[in-house]
Amino acid sequence: MTGRDTPPRDALFARAAAWVARLDAADCTRAERVAFEEWLAADPARVRAWAEAERLHASAATLRDDPWLRAGARHVVRRPLYRRPLFGVAAAAALCLAVGTGWVLATDGNPTPHTYVNSGFAPQRQLLEDGSVVVLDARTTLTARFGWRRRGIELQQGRMQLQVAPSSRAMRVQAGNSVLRDIGTTFQVELLDDGRIDIALLDGALEIDSSGTQRMHAALRPGQQLQVLPSGRIEPASPLRQPQAEAWPQGRLLFDATPLPVVVARMNRYTATPLAIADPALAPLAVSGTFAAGDQAALLSALELGWSVTARARADGTLELRGVR
């Protein structure tokens, strides 16, 4: 190490120590904590400096009120320094710091997962801890983790629209067999009942990687949508149906030659009485129309008038859809 290296390292440690003190203050604001996360994520050297400052801060807090040290300080005398024993202590301290820093880097700060569940019958808006805004469709569940360097969301069921807050930390979204990555965009993801995944990009840029027997990679541009099959095959992108994408977050369902199984799955999110297709011949039926989310009666009326499909109640309350013969 040269004399030129020392000032930047000292300045970096001083900045990290200032952050440690500020974050420990009772009046530290959310904006300051977000600013700290942005500062920390920009450079691994900052993570190491923060880990060292945090460790020393914790040690100082522990030893500050130690009665033996306070008594010994009153009788301390100056003596020559013995470098050999101190070298062992320094080496041990360096090892502890390296292990601690490695743990922070490897686990990304070990972020606590937060689960968001919309068990109601209407879309629900949530502000995530990184400032991103998510709209959860009815019957939707997701888990979010936000670390020092990475942000991650796993969509377990349902449909969501995510407006990603700009950050130096990339956002990674897991949905079924697909992983989506971006920095700051707005997109929609839906897990369908048969394992297919619909992805639509409203603005920004988005990369998709799938897993499975047909593992693939694709990129979306604003105003495009695509579908990932259970095998991992990514279908070619097509123009986004903008009115359809804008409808469901506002509580409306817009179908444009949509297969009946998808229509049923989406309407079922908003009602306590589910629909079920009892006649396999109805599966290829393409349905068009606009309905209020949860207005099952209007959908059943349209199916009967337009496609000769009737509903019959089962003993458990489920409404079976059958074609008129």
Side-chain angles (χ1 to χ4, degrees):
M1 181 185 298
T2 65
R4 296 179 181 178
D5 295 325
T6 304
R9 288 191 60 186
D10 288 348
L12 184 60
F13 178 79
R15 181 58 179 157
W19 272 121
V20 170
R22 185 61 197 142
L23 294 172
D24 197 42
D27 61 345
C28 182
T29 65
R30 177 182 175 83
E32 287 176 307
R33 294 183 185 279
V34 172
F36 164 70
E37 292 180 1
E38 298 288 346
W39 175 83
L40 192 71
D43 187 353
R46 295 180 179 181
V47 178
R48 291 190 289 270
W50 169 80
E52 183 177 5
E54 176 69 20
R55 179 181 61 83
L56 292 177
H57 178 76
S59 298
T62 302
L63 299 175
R64 179 177 53 208
D65 298 322
D66 188 292
W68 295 99
L69 291 179
R70 293 172 66 89
R74 292 194 293 267
H75 302 285
V76 69
V77 295
R78 293 186 177 275
R79 304 179 192 177
L81 293 176
Y82 292 93
R83 298 189 178 273
R84 189 174 300 275
L86 288 179
F87 175 79
V89 173
L95 177 60
C96 291
L97 177 59
V99 171
T101 302
W103 179 85
V104 170
L105 293 172
T107 64
D108 198 22
N110 197 28
T112 301
H114 296 279
T115 300
Y116 299 85
V117 179
N118 181 6
S119 56
F121 296 134
Q124 186 180 95
R125 184 179 181 273
Q126 292 278 357
L127 179 64
L128 304 183
E129 60 184 90
D130 72 326
S132 298
V133 177
V134 63
V135 179
L136 289 83
D137 201 359
R139 309 289 182 88
T140 295
T141 302
L142 65 83
T143 299
R145 293 174 182 266
F146 298 102
W148 302 122
R149 296 180 298 153
R150 293 183 295 271
R151 300 177 289 175
I153 289 176
E154 181 182 0
L155 178 64
Q156 277 115 11
Q157 67 174 12
R159 173 167 58 176
M160 73 172 187
Q161 174 175 295
L162 182 64
Q163 182 180 349
V164 181
S167 171
S168 59
R169 299 172 296 163
M171 175 71 81
R172 179 184 187 275
V173 175
Q174 177 83 45
N177 64 354
S178 300
V179 174
L180 295 69
R181 294 182 178 86
D182 81 298
I183 294 296
T185 67
T186 301
F187 60 92
Q188 296 180 355
V189 187
E190 180 178 16
L191 287 174
L192 299 174
D193 291 346
D194 61 2
R196 290 176 297 159
I197 303 162
D198 281 346
I199 302 169
L201 180 62
L202 280 69
D203 61 41
L206 195 63
E207 292 190 352
I208 301 103
D209 290 288
S210 67
S211 60
T213 57
Q214 294 180 288
R215 182 167 47 187
M216 295 178 68
H217 172 83
L220 277 181
R221 296 194 302 271
Q224 289 186 327
Q225 61 184 15
L226 57 75
Q227 187 172 84
V228 184
L229 304 183
S231 65
R233 174 177 171 77
I234 299 178
E235 300 285 32
S238 61
L240 173 66
R241 296 185 176 99
Q242 194 77 28
Q244 194 173 28
E246 294 174 351
W248 73 262
Q250 300 173 10
R252 294 181 295 111
L253 298 179
L254 193 157
F255 302 119
D256 182 9
T258 306
L260 183 59
V262 176
V263 172
V264 167
R266 289 176 179 167
M267 181 59 78
N268 279 347
R269 291 186 185 136
Y270 302 94
T271 62
T273 303
L275 303 175
I277 300 176
D279 185 352
L282 297 179
L285 216 111
V287 178
S288 298
T290 302
F291 306 90
D295 192 351
Q296 191 181 79
L299 174 61
L300 291 176
S301 177
L303 289 176
E304 185 173 5
L305 292 174
W307 292 273
S308 299
V309 175
T310 60
R312 179 180 299 175
R314 290 179 188 166
D316 63 359
T318 300
L319 296 177
E320 289 186 344
L321 301 181
R322 295 183 179 273
V324 176
R325 288 182 172 84

